[in-house]
Amino acid sequence: DSGVTQTPKHLITATGQRVTLRCSPRSGDLSVYWYQQSLDQGLQFLIQYYNGEERAKGNILERFSAQQFPDLHSELNLSSLELGDSALYFCASSVVAGGLGYNEQFFGPGTRLTVL
Amino acid sequence: AQKITQTQPGMFVQEKEAVTLDCTYDTSDPSYGLFWYKQPSSGEMIFLIYQGSYDQQNATEGRYSLNFQKARKSANLVISASQLGDSAMYFCAMREPYNKLIFGAGTRLAVHP
């Protein structure tokens, strides 16, 4: 158990709908990362927050948005869903946002999204 | 741009034997970090081992070791004494600025009894 929690574990929805994925980082971790794992794109970085502020953006679609709340949990919002959005969405957390050294990211169990 | 390449889509190994999973990387940044993660069929990402670009020695963690050849830009994972539970996907990753990770395509390892 990494200490990172994600809810829900599975989500099945229809095209055009909107969903929210939730992540609680490990206690003490200020940085949260979202990754998408799909058959087409592999594992790719979406977005990063550090202590409530967006720090880095990857290949995140405009239909997707995220935020990190004062209690440090984060939500990833996916709207106007398409079949291609079906994927495993991981949240990870780390103590710091960058710099040298180890800075291991601890991954949550993921949310498997299926768009029908 | 930074890039991670894993050229082996699938590998087979006999139980109790050693196996090497290949990873090459490309970066112009002199300071970087390389990670290996294991993803079993259950889906979670399990951290295995880390190598920093300035580390003088190859990293080791139990049965896992990293064959780090900086000049060749390779960071191969060596699993010794393979076990059936080692059957999984293995991902090599590089840390980019702000600590985000870029991943290779992965290698699926099957351990045969």
Side-chain angles (χ1 to χ4, degrees):
Chain A
D1 186 352
S2 67
V4 179
T5 60
Q6 289 187 248
T7 56
K9 194 171 176 61
H10 300 278
L11 197 49
I12 301 174
T13 187
T15 55
Q17 295 298 306
R18 173 189 169 93
V19 296
T20 297
L21 312 183
R22 183 188 168 102
C23 167
S24 292
R26 288 190 326 151
S27 177
D29 284 359
L30 299 178
S31 195
V32 168
Y33 313 77
W34 286 97
Y35 294 88
Q36 178 195 58
Q37 185 178 27
S38 65
L39 289 175
D40 293 343
Q41 303 292 331
L43 255 168
Q44 59 175 357
F45 167 76
L46 294 179
I47 197 164
Q48 177 199 8
Y49 280 82
Y50 178 75
N51 204 20
E53 294 188 1
E54 182 184 303
R55 188 57 73 94
K57 236 175 182 176
N59 297 325
I60 187 167
L61 299 172
E62 285 191 12
R63 300 183 286 109
F64 296 1
S65 64
Q67 54 184 328
Q68 186 179 26
F69 294 87
D71 67 353
L72 300 178
H73 91 270
S74 178
E75 293 180 356
L76 180 67
N77 301 297
L78 315 176
S79 62
S80 303
L81 285 167
E82 302 175 359
L83 296 177
D85 297 328
S86 295
L88 185 55
Y89 291 85
F90 285 107
C91 169
S93 73
S94 67
V95 174
V96 295
L100 300 177
Y102 186 38
N103 287 336
E104 179 186 347
Q105 290 185 27
F106 296 87
F107 279 75
T111 293
R112 187 168 294 280
L113 173 67
T114 302
V115 182
L116 301 175
Chain B
Q2 296 179 318
K3 187 179 178 183
I4 293 283
T5 302
Q6 294 180 257
T7 57
Q8 305 155 314
M11 289 282 287
F12 296 91
V13 65
Q14 208 72 23
E15 195 178 6
K16 299 180 185 176
E17 292 186 350
V19 63
T20 298
L21 306 183
D22 294 342
C23 172
T24 58
Y25 59 91
D26 189 20
T27 180
S28 56
D29 193 336
S31 174
Y32 51 89
L34 297 158
F35 298 78
W36 277 92
Y37 284 86
K38 172 185 178 181
Q39 186 178 40
S41 58
S42 52
E44 72 268 29
M45 295 291 285
I46 302 168
F47 166 76
L48 296 178
I49 198 166
Y50 167 81
Q51 181 83 43
S53 58
Y54 294 120
D55 293 343
Q56 295 297 313
Q57 294 186 324
N58 287 346
T60 60
E61 290 285 349
R63 294 187 299 111
Y64 304 107
S65 61
L66 206 150
N67 184 1
F68 182 48
Q69 298 186 45
K70 197 169 180 177
R72 299 179 63 181
K73 293 189 174 179
S74 74
N76 299 338
L77 176 70
V78 180
I79 305 174
S80 63
S82 296
Q83 303 172 356
L84 295 179
D86 293 335
S87 295
M89 280 290 287
Y90 289 81
F91 291 95
C92 181
M94 175 183 290
R95 184 183 62 229
E96 285 195 324
Y98 298 111
N99 209 33
K100 65 183 188 288
L101 297 175
I102 56 167
F103 289 87
T107 296
R108 183 171 298 280
L109 177 66
V111 181
H112 292 170

